[in-house]
Coordinates of all heavy atoms in Angstrom, one line a residue:
E4 N 240.8 58.9 -44.8 CA 241.4 59.9 -43.9 C 240.4 61.0 -43.6 O 240.4 61.5 -42.4 CB 242.6 60.5 -44.6 CG 243.4 61.5 -43.7 CD 244.6 62.1 -44.4 OE1 245.0 61.6 -45.5 OE2 245.2 63.1 -43.9
K5 N 239.5 61.4 -44.5 CA 238.5 62.4 -44.2 C 237.5 61.8 -43.3 O 236.9 62.6 -42.5 CB 237.9 62.8 -45.5 CG 238.8 63.8 -46.3 CD 238.0 64.3 -47.5 CE 238.9 65.3 -48.3 NZ 238.2 65.8 -49.4
K6 N 237.1 60.6 -43.4 CA 236.1 60.0 -42.6 C 236.6 59.8 -41.1 O 235.8 59.9 -40.2 CB 235.7 58.6 -43.1 CG 234.9 58.7 -44.4 CD 234.5 57.3 -44.8 CE 233.9 57.3 -46.2 NZ 233.6 55.9 -46.7
K7 N 237.8 59.4 -40.9 CA 238.3 59.1 -39.6 C 238.8 60.3 -38.9 O 239.7 61.0 -39.3 CB 239.5 58.0 -39.8 CG 239.9 57.5 -38.4 CD 241.0 56.4 -38.6 CE 241.4 55.9 -37.3 NZ 242.5 54.9 -37.4
T8 N 238.2 60.6 -37.7 CA 238.7 61.7 -36.9 C 238.6 61.1 -35.4 O 237.5 61.1 -34.9 CB 237.8 62.9 -37.1 OG1 237.8 63.3 -38.4 CG2 238.3 64.1 -36.2
D9 N 239.7 60.8 -34.9 CA 239.8 60.2 -33.5 C 240.1 61.2 -32.5 O 239.8 61.0 -31.3 CB 240.8 59.1 -33.5 CG 240.4 57.9 -34.3 OD1 239.2 57.7 -34.5 OD2 241.3 57.1 -34.7
D10 N 240.7 62.3 -32.8 CA 241.1 63.3 -31.8 C 239.9 64.0 -31.3 O 239.1 64.5 -32.0 CB 242.1 64.3 -32.5 CG 242.7 65.2 -31.4 OD1 243.6 64.8 -30.8 OD2 242.1 66.3 -31.2
P11 N 239.8 64.1 -29.9 CA 238.6 64.7 -29.3 C 238.5 66.2 -29.7 O 237.4 66.8 -29.8 CB 238.7 64.5 -27.8 CG 240.1 64.0 -27.6 CD 240.6 63.5 -28.9
I12 N 239.6 66.9 -29.8 CA 239.6 68.3 -30.1 C 239.1 68.5 -31.6 O 238.4 69.4 -31.9 CB 241.0 68.9 -29.9 CG1 241.2 68.9 -28.4 CG2 241.0 70.4 -30.4 CD1 242.5 69.5 -27.9
A13 N 239.6 67.6 -32.5 CA 239.1 67.7 -33.9 C 237.6 67.5 -34.0 O 236.9 68.2 -34.7 CB 239.9 66.7 -34.7
I14 N 237.1 66.5 -33.2 CA 235.7 66.2 -33.2 C 234.9 67.4 -32.6 O 233.9 67.8 -33.2 CB 235.4 65.0 -32.4 CG1 236.0 63.7 -33.1 CG2 233.9 64.8 -32.1 CD1 236.0 62.5 -32.3
F15 N 235.5 68.0 -31.6 CA 234.9 69.2 -31.0 C 234.8 70.4 -32.0 O 233.8 71.1 -32.1 CB 235.6 69.6 -29.7 CG 235.1 70.9 -29.1 CD1 234.0 70.8 -28.3 CD2 235.7 72.1 -29.3 CE1 233.5 71.9 -27.7 CE2 235.2 73.2 -28.7 CZ 234.1 73.2 -27.9
I16 N 235.9 70.6 -32.7 CA 236.0 71.7 -33.7 C 234.9 71.5 -34.7 O 234.2 72.4 -35.1 CB 237.4 71.8 -34.3 CG1 238.4 72.3 -33.3 CG2 237.4 72.7 -35.6 CD1 239.8 72.2 -33.8
L17 N 234.8 70.3 -35.3 CA 233.8 70.0 -36.3 C 232.4 70.2 -35.8 O 231.6 70.8 -36.5 CB 234.0 68.6 -36.8 CG 235.2 68.3 -37.7 CD1 235.4 66.8 -38.0 CD2 235.2 69.1 -39.0
G18 N 232.1 69.8 -34.6 CA 230.8 70.0 -34.0 C 230.5 71.5 -33.8 O 229.4 71.9 -34.1
E19 N 231.4 72.2 -33.3 CA 231.2 73.7 -33.1 C 231.0 74.4 -34.4 O 230.2 75.3 -34.5 CB 232.4 74.3 -32.3 CG 232.4 73.8 -30.9 CD 231.3 74.4 -30.0 OE1 231.0 75.6 -30.1 OE2 230.6 73.6 -29.4

Side-chain angles (χ1 to χ4, degrees):
E4 186 177 346
K5 285 186 179 182
K6 289 180 187 176
K7 187 177 180 182
T8 304
D9 292 334
D10 188 84
I12 293 179
I14 293 167
F15 178 81
I16 291 170
L17 290 172
E19 290 291 308

